Amino acid sequence: SWSERAEGNPLAAWLLDGMGLEAGLLLLLTFKLAAVGLFYVTQFPVRLAAAVYGLVVLNNVLFLAAWAHLTVTG
């Protein structure tokens, strides 16, 4: 079931709520594929891309840790 807590990214949540689940996911996928294509064409520096992705992974790990803590402590 879809709820406000289903998407932690506020921009993605706004997009999914405004456009609907299917159209919002299609737009997000299109944006991601365009970003990957741009990185490939311009040979975007790998270290910078890895650093940005590392921040995304860190954010996800912190979110999961906070969620697990709230789940355990009630």
Side-chain angles (χ1 to χ4, degrees), residues 46-59:
V46 175
R47 289 184 181 170
L48 181 58
V52 170
Y53 187 70
L55 292 174
V56 171
V57 170
L58 176 64
N59 180 58

Side-chain angles (χ1 to χ4, degrees), residues 17-39:
D17 287 338
M19 296 188 70
L21 185 60
E22 290 84 6
L25 287 175
L26 182 62
L27 187 62
L28 286 173
L29 176 62
T30 303
F31 174 76
K32 290 177 184 180
L33 289 175
V36 168
L38 179 66
F39 290 167

